[in-house]
Amino acid sequence: MLRNRVKEMRARHSLTQSDLGKQVDVTRQTIAFIEKGEFSPSITLSLKLAKALQVDVNELFWLEGEKEDEK
Amino acid sequence: MKNDFRLTYPLWMMAFIIMLGVLAFGLNSPITEFVNTHNETSFTIKLEALEGFIVLCTIILYFTLLAIFLVRLNKHNKENPAQKISPFAIRPPEYLEQDEGMTFITRKAVQKVYSFITFALPFLATFAIVLPVPRLLIIYGILAIAFGQYWIYYTEVRKHFKGETE
């Protein structure tokens, strides 16, 4: 399962879901689905999100069980 | 988004289906039953006045609902010029496909509907072939499947919009 830190990074940049959605050209709902883990975004959208949140895509998304802090 | 007309579109269709069900009852169920057995002789019940009343009321309600529906549709089209809904569109207007997230939600809902249809239609066909069911019951079976598909679609999509926060 794909895990993410979108909500945390978005808060760090003081962005609303709508703001972030506009930056990456998706609806606010799609940002909410990603944050809730209901939807795994495409590579294109993942890269767009990483760029918008100014982080490496690996910092933003990772597979469950692959991060040290999850163990 | 919660008030998006496309989200409530299945509810409108379910209401229309219920109306059709009531109309079908009014048009197809003049009860004229004759029983002649050892224990019973016969009786005939006719509810023509009631059926006529039901049909009239249903038609009035149907057109009232249709008028409200068209007003809401027109409002949606004015507010969302990029996502206009045509009342004559072949493609189901309830599909949410603005981006990949919405497409994913729609696909999940459509998959559930498809699973339901693949089970329900053969079941209804078998039921109608094997048993000598009256025409009205077959009509109700078809309407129940139509109602069911909208219900499944609506609940599945709605589930993802619960507890929306910014």
Side-chain angles (χ1 to χ4, degrees), chain B residues 4-166:
Chain B
D4 191 318
F5 185 67
R6 287 167 306 165
L7 271 183
T8 55
Y9 186 86
L11 292 178
W12 285 95
M13 293 302 110
M14 285 190 271
F16 282 123
I17 289 166
I18 291 170
M19 295 279 178
L20 278 178
V22 179
L23 192 64
F25 173 79
L27 292 174
N28 286 277
S29 62
I31 303 165
T32 312
E33 198 173 6
F34 181 73
V35 178
N36 193 8
T37 64
H38 295 297
N39 305 322
E40 292 177 63
T41 310
S42 70
F43 65 89
T44 305
I45 302 170
K46 286 190 179 180
L47 297 170
E48 285 169 359
L50 178 66
E51 286 145 14
F53 180 71
I54 288 171
V55 168
L56 185 71
C57 287
T58 311
I59 288 171
I60 292 167
L61 271 173
Y62 192 91
F63 280 103
T64 307
L65 195 67
L66 187 67
I68 299 167
F69 172 78
L70 290 173
V71 168
R72 288 281 292 114
L73 189 73
N74 195 34
K75 191 177 170 225
H76 168 89
N77 286 344
K78 275 185 183 167
E79 288 171 358
N80 305 277
Q83 292 163 2
K84 280 188 175 178
I85 297 173
S86 164
F88 307 108
I90 295 171
R91 190 175 174 75
E94 63 267 31
Y95 285 0
L96 304 165
E97 296 177 308
Q98 299 98 310
D99 57 41
E100 59 182 82
M102 305 302 264
T103 304
F104 172 77
I105 299 303
T106 300
R107 197 186 71 200
K108 268 182 82 178
V110 169
Q111 279 176 341
K112 282 198 172 182
V113 170
Y114 184 77
S115 302
F116 168 70
I117 294 285
T118 52
F119 156 78
L121 278 182
F123 180 79
L124 178 68
T126 310
F127 188 71
I129 291 166
V130 174
L131 299 172
V133 285
R135 194 172 78 126
L136 187 61
L137 209 60
I138 296 171
I139 292 170
Y140 278 149
I142 295 166
L143 291 178
I145 291 173
F147 188 92
Q149 68 165 16
Y150 280 115
W151 176 251
I152 291 167
Y153 184 88
Y154 177 75
T155 49
E156 178 60 29
V157 169
R158 199 77 195 173
K159 190 172 76 181
H160 294 282
F161 290 92
K162 269 190 178 173
E164 268 194 354
T165 49
E166 180 71 32

Side-chain angles (χ1 to χ4, degrees), chain A residues 18-29:
Chain A
S18 300
D19 296 334
L20 183 58
K22 276 178 197 159
Q23 284 192 36
V24 297
D25 202 26
V26 296
T27 55
R28 183 178 71 75
Q29 285 73 27

Side-chain angles (χ1 to χ4, degrees), chain A residues 26-69:
Chain A
V26 296
T27 55
R28 183 178 71 75
Q29 285 73 27
T30 291
I31 300 296
F33 296 154
I34 294 168
E35 289 181 356
K36 285 191 277 182
E38 290 179 2
F39 163 64
S40 299
S42 65
I43 295 171
T44 310
L45 182 54
S46 303
L47 289 168
K48 280 184 183 177
L49 285 166
K51 192 179 175 187
L53 296 168
Q54 297 163 25
V55 284
D56 189 85
V57 74
N58 291 313
E59 290 288 315
L60 201 57
F61 296 99
W62 68 95
L63 289 171
E64 196 171 41
E66 281 196 353
K67 287 237 168 178
E68 282 299 315
D69 55 3

